[in-house]
Structures are given as structure tokens and as C-alpha cells.
Amino acid sequence: MKVVDLNDLPVKEEIKVILKRRGIVSLNPVQSEAVEKGLLEGKRLLLTSPTGSGKTLIAELGMLSHLMRGERRAVYVTPLRALTSEKFVTFKDWEALGIKVGMTSGDYDTDDRYLSRYDLVVTTYEKLDSLWRHKPEWLLETDYFVLDEFHYLNDGTRGPVVESVAIRAKRNFLLALSATVSNSSQIAQWLSAIPITTNWRPVPLKEGILVNERRRSQIYYSDGSSYPLAGSDPILSYTEKVVNEGGQVLVFRNSRKMAETTAWKIKELDLKLKKDEIKGLLSRLEEVEDAGSTEKEALKELIASGVAFHHAGLSRGLREVIEDGFRRRIIKVITATPTLAAGVNLPARSVVVGDIYRFNKKILGYQEEISVMEYKQMSGRAGRPGYDTEGESVIVVRNRKDAERVARKYILSPPEPIESKLGNESAFYSFLLGIASDVSSEDEITEVAQESLLDKELVKNYIEKGLAWLRENGFLEGVKLTRFGRRVADLYIKPFTARVIKDTISMNSSENCDIAYFHMLSMTPDAPVVNVSEQEGEDLIDMAYCPPFVDPEEGDEGEEYYSALKIALILHDWIEEVEEDQILSKYRIGSGDLRSIVETMDRLTYSGYQLAQVLDLKDHEKILLNLNRRVSDGVKEELVDLVKVSGVGRKRGRLLYERGIRKPEDIVMNPDKVKALLGEKLGERIVKEAARLLGGVL
């Protein structure tokens, strides 16, 4: 396969200098083909190649060539905030060439006009979709889009947003990147792009099936070879073999509980560890502030043995320590849920897919097989460039009989074709609302909607039903957004969420307590979902000291109702300053769950407050504003002003308040007292932050 020497690349010398500093002296076959197909001339491309094949550099070369031709601005889009941060750090290299790099994610109710100062902006699909509704001048001037992890278009939850972004982005210069698009010709045609599809990997992948037979394990590889393993537990036997050969392992399990249980089993293995490096990592773990003490103690014990579990129940701080420890090869094994496969760059020599089945949350007790695409995403993590000559991925099955079928389905077959996920009312009506914020006639709405991947007749039907529903519920007058509709579009919440809020607060008095408001917001499509056992559901009813707006006696009880009630009670405890460890234990959730709930409810209480304002429901508006001010920091009302000072959270705020420091002005007027309570360095920093907040200079 063709390889281009960096010196022969037709780009400015300054670019080559920075690439050489990274250790890049030539382009690999995938990168070379992209250049050959017109990457540097601004050709629209859809690139499908395995994980680790250098797609980020391709994007960088595309964006740099575009900007250095004197074009306007480039936007790089990712599906996850963690990836956004990772790419932002990588792209900062190019500021040496005078290219200003910016980043934005979250906070959907803004046009981020400050980004007009930047040449290259990194963001998420949701943030970009929301920005288009605000129509900032800087975005209208942007004419190059990189759509990373483009296979998310096939995701039931995120897909509609990715498709909406792609419809707008494909009117400009475009580069779409993915590891798994089996119908790349069809998708490239839709994007008006040139398809580039390759299976080249910098580290070849060997795939196999791991079978437990008569208390012994055997790996059957797709190339016809096999390998016997000693021991009755195939995952433990395989993991020990790889680690003791100098490799690292990612073990994927189908639930948090299974990931944690597997980690504790692996802990008992005799892994080769560097004790001094582990001590440093354990010290960092101890300093993590956004985690529960029970989680930290468990992870400290595991990491001391070279293993850690990783899932969304862990706080961001804990996940970052684990990921960094694995990248530095201190942690040898991570047991994780499949969400890790779609996250940050974290390769290992070997990947173990411990389960091909998962529970279907919609059908109680029903297990379904994972998709081929999910397997490809997991197996794609195998093989560390620079460390391994070969990556290895194995699927664990219960018996030899299953081995052939599983190999045929997952190893020998391509992933499922990418299809539109706009084909449901909730997704399509949100899509329509976004279009309506940017056009002025029904013909224009139809024209844009017909650019989706959906069948044209289905689109026509959805447009007719959707416009009627949006008009009936007060979002549109004709095709023009009402004041209510405009606010919903700008807030970037789903129309069904807005209708729940509007109908509930319009029909109820404001005499209800915070639990009622939290429960209402948690019943919306934009709310998070938590697991609730049957017994727990009954207990939750007893714990609620005031009734929700919706009475369960009216037939609304069920999994959604109890999930919302559990979230409401968690939030009630949170804003009443109940200790975090107590909340995690009481409701059996992780610190990551709590952060996710708080972050989402911060947004939803703000949205509720804004909608109450538009609807002129002043009593509800006042209550929702008050709840919004308390949710983000988890404080009682008297601490709201104090925690506005950066660095003063719920614990420090309560300590200061109880010692007579009750507002930012008190911090500025009593610097010595603040330093005595919080320590010299921290106290000094917080005094300066309070002065900055008040607009003064010390």
C-alpha cells in the first residue's frame, strides 16, 4: 500500500515541522489515500477505516489546508465531551501557526459569539445542533465541517442529532470519519462525498472465540489456529496470560455489576506490577473531589493489584485517573461496560468481549444480542500502536456449539448498515422545530426534511403530522415559531418535554414542594433514567413528604414514574445538603450517576423557569428559578449567593456560613478569617475570586 513521505507532502513547511515534532515522518496508507483522493484540495470525503488508523491527522490536514487557503473557519464535531476535550488539546499544536483553537460544549441557551475569534472550533453534535438554532454570525461563516465517529448516526438516541447536523454540514466542505460504515457508498452519495474504505490497521487484529470446555478453556481463532488455556474461568485465564506476557487487557461486560465483579476476581491474579508507579496513581485517586468515599476505597484496593472497573456510575474525576493509569501502563486490566468502547482513545493489546447478550430495558427479563457494530467498536480497541505487533480480540461463549455461529455473525460479517433514526415522533418533531427556527415557509421545511435519510413518503407523512402537532401545542403559528416555540428551540429541549412542563404547571398551583417540580421534570423525555426495583418503588412513595403533581393512583405508576420519583428524592436530598456518601448509599447510585442527574436537572430547572416566564406563570417561575440556583451546587437557599464564588462548594460554603461568612462581600471584608478557616493558599484564592465576582480588585 502507498505511503507518502512527509517531505513530499504539498503543505507548508511549518506544518511539517510540527508533525515531525510528534514523531511523524510519513503518512500511512489510509492517510496517503485521503490525500490522493483530494483531502488537501477540499474534496468532500467519507472515510471509513479501523480505530487507530490515523483519522485525526487526516482531519487536521484537511482543516489546515482549508484554513491556509484563506477560507473562513473549520468546526470539528465529536459525539462526547471527553473526546471534544481530547481533540482540543491535540489541535492546540496548531496555534504555533497562528491558528486560534476554541472549544465549546454544554450550555445550549447561547450563541457563543465569542467563538468568532477562533479559526478552528471543537464541539459536540448536540452543541452544534443547538447553535444552528441561534444562528450566530460566526457559524454562518463556517464552511468546513469534520464529523467524527459518524457511525453514531445509527444510534437510537444520538442518531437524530447527528443526522440533523449532517444535513446542514453537507452543504459545505465536509469530512466524515468512522471506523464502521458498511454501506459507505450509500452514505457517501447522501453526503455528496467520495467514499474511502479500507481495512488497514497499524496493528493487525487477530480475532477469536474463547470457549470453556470441561473446566478448560480454548481459543479458536478465525485463521484456523487455536490455543489452550489452563483454569476453569476463561476470562481470568486469558487475562493472566496476556498481562504476564507484558500486555494490557480491556474486558467488556454487559452491566456495571458484572464489570465490578470481574474486576474483583482479576484482583486475585498474580499480575506483574510496578509498585512505585501505583503509589503515585493512588495518591491522585485520593485527591479526586467528585467521588464517594466507598468508590474511592474500592478502586484503591483494586488499582493496588493492577486492575480497575470503569462505567458511567463513576465520576469524571475517577474515570480520568483510571484512563490515565491505563495509558501509562500502570493499570494492566480495565473491566468496563461497552460505553468505554465509544469513548476516549484507550487501546490495549487484547480485548475480551465477555457477553454478547444484554438486557433489553423496555422488555423486562428479555436478553438480546449486541449488534455487530458494537462488537466492532469494542474489538477495534485491540492493538497499541508502538507497543504491539498484533492486537487480539476474543468473544467468550458458553459452549463449542455457539462458537461457529458467533464467529460467523461478529467476526466474519460486516456491521449493520447505517440507517436514519429520525423515524419516530419525538425525534422528528424536534428535528422539525429545529428546521422551523431557520426557514420561513412550509416548502422550505419540506425541502430540508427531505434531505434526511428517511424514505421520502415517510418524511411527507411525518411533516404533515408533525406540523399539525406543533401548531396544536403552541409551538408554531403557520410555520413561524411562536414566542413559546422560539424559547423551546433556543433552550434545545424536546417539544414533548416542553409540553409536559407547560401542561403541568398551567394546570397546577404552585403550592407543591420541590419534589413535585423535580418529579415533573424527571418525567420528561430529556430527563435521565435510574433503575428502581419493585420493592424500592413502594418505599419511594413513603419517602416523598409531599405528593408529586401526578398522582400514581391515576394509572401513571410504573417504571418511568418511579424512576422520576427516585430522581426527585435524590435531588431533594442534594439541595438539602445531605452528605454525598449518604445519598449514594441510600439510593444505591454512583457518583457519576449523581453528577449526571445534577447536570441534567440544572438544565431542566433552568428550562422550566424560562418556560414559566414565557407563559407568564410568575409563581411557578419564582420557584423554578430558586430550584435552579440550588441544584448545580446542592445547597440550601441561604448558601446560593456564597457558592457563586468560584471554589466555594456546598461543604466550604456551609463551613463559612456557620462561621458568619454569609455572602461574597463578607469574604472580601474578612480575608484573614477566610484563610484561617480554609487554609492560607485556598483562602487567598477564594478571597480573590470573591473580589472578582463583586467587580473589585484587591
Side-chain angles (χ1 to χ4, degrees), residues 312-379:
L314 295 180
S315 69
R316 187 172 301 163
L318 289 176
R319 294 198 304 267
E320 286 174 354
V321 170
I322 292 166
E323 290 160 11
D324 183 55
F326 195 77
R327 286 194 191 97
R328 290 164 56 201
R329 306 179 74 194
I330 300 169
I331 295 174
K332 303 299 181 183
V333 184
I334 289 181
T335 60
T337 51
T339 51
L340 179 63
V344 291
N345 182 30
L346 209 66
R349 177 183 295 181
S350 295
V351 165
V352 177
V353 179
D355 314 276
I356 58 168
Y357 293 94
R358 58 153 174 242
F359 285 101
N360 185 316
K361 292 182 180 179
K362 295 179 181 178
I363 307 174
L364 195 62
Y366 176 69
Q367 284 193 320
E368 61 185 4
E369 288 190 345
I370 63 171
S371 67
V372 178
M373 183 175 288
E374 286 175 274
Y375 165 72
K376 299 293 185 188
Q377 288 296 311
M378 289 186 274
S379 64

Side-chain angles (χ1 to χ4, degrees), residues 366-594:
Y366 176 69
Q367 284 193 320
E368 61 185 4
E369 288 190 345
I370 63 171
S371 67
V372 178
M373 183 175 288
E374 286 175 274
Y375 165 72
K376 299 293 185 188
Q377 288 296 311
M378 289 186 274
S379 64
R381 297 290 170 190
R384 303 163 301 176
Y387 292 109
D388 302 319
T389 57
E390 186 175 66
E392 196 167 286
S393 172
V394 297
I395 306 172
V396 180
V397 298
R398 294 170 187 160
N399 54 63
R400 182 71 186 275
K401 184 179 177 183
D402 277 350
E404 190 175 332
R405 180 190 68 81
V406 170
R408 218 171 27 245
K409 176 175 179 177
Y410 291 104
I411 297 175
L412 303 177
S413 302
E416 298 79 8
I418 283 182
E419 298 174 337
S420 176
K421 291 297 183 281
L422 280 169
N424 64 73
E425 290 178 344
S426 178
F428 199 88
Y429 294 3
S430 295
F431 175 55
L432 277 183
L433 193 69
I435 298 173
S437 66
D438 197 31
V439 301
S440 55
S441 72
E442 192 163 333
D443 285 345
E444 286 181 286
I445 289 176
T446 301
E447 184 182 343
V448 175
Q450 289 285 11
E451 289 186 52
S452 78
L453 273 168
L454 278 178
D455 175 80
K456 304 305 179 194
E457 283 302 311
L458 191 58
V459 169
K460 186 177 177 182
N461 182 45
Y462 269 126
I463 291 173
E464 188 177 327
K465 287 174 60 182
L467 291 178
W469 187 90
L470 289 168
R471 289 168 185 143
E472 181 185 331
N473 287 279
F475 297 91
L476 296 177
E477 285 181 0
V479 294
K480 186 179 179 182
L481 289 173
T482 62
R483 184 164 170 251
F484 175 72
R486 166 52 63 188
R487 202 70 200 93
V488 173
D490 286 349
L491 289 165
Y492 198 63
I493 57 174
K494 293 181 173 66
F496 284 95
T497 291
R499 188 183 72 167
V500 169
I501 296 171
K502 177 185 175 184
D503 290 352
T504 304
I505 63 176
S506 297
M507 294 186 296
N508 287 276
S509 73
S510 58
E511 296 173 1
N512 294 63
C513 67
D514 58 281
I515 288 176
Y517 287 92
F518 287 144
H519 185 263
M520 168 191 70
L521 296 170
S522 300
M523 289 285 286
T524 66
D526 281 296
V529 176
V530 292
N531 292 326
V532 183
S533 66
E534 190 173 335
Q535 179 56 51
E536 191 180 10
E538 297 300 323
D539 294 340
L540 292 171
I541 295 287
D542 295 334
M543 290 164 63
Y545 71 92
C546 77
F549 286 123
V550 181
D551 190 337
E553 297 302 320
E554 295 177 6
D556 287 306
E557 70 273 21
E559 189 173 344
E560 181 187 1
Y561 185 93
Y562 289 123
S563 170
L565 185 55
K566 183 172 179 176
I567 290 170
L569 289 165
I570 289 168
L571 288 162
H572 168 73
D573 284 0
W574 174 248
I575 64 172
E576 288 299 313
E577 298 180 34
V578 174
E579 284 291 327
E580 183 171 334
D581 279 343
Q582 190 177 335
I583 293 173
L584 301 184
S585 173
K586 181 178 177 181
Y587 297 103
R588 296 194 288 278
I589 60 172
S591 55
D593 298 317
L594 179 59

Side-chain angles (χ1 to χ4, degrees), residues 49 77 95 155 246 287 458 466 663 681:
S49 66
V77 198
E95 292 194 334
D155 181 84
E287 293 168 5
L458 191 58
K663 49 191 177 180
K681 286 187 178 179

Side-chain angles (χ1 to χ4, degrees), residues 41-62:
E41 289 80 50
K43 293 288 178 66
R44 301 152 64 86
L45 304 175
L46 168 63
L47 174 66
T48 305
S49 66
T51 300
S53 57
K55 293 189 286 291
T56 299
L57 178 56
I58 291 171
E60 290 177 283
L61 291 173

Side-chain angles (χ1 to χ4, degrees), residues 126 341 433 492 599 615 631:
E126 283 79 9
L433 193 69
Y492 198 63
E599 186 177 307
L615 297 167
V631 161

Side-chain angles (χ1 to χ4, degrees), residues 590-602:
S591 55
D593 298 317
L594 179 59
R595 294 292 176 278
S596 176
I597 289 168
V598 168
E599 186 177 307
T600 305
M601 207 53 61
D602 182 28

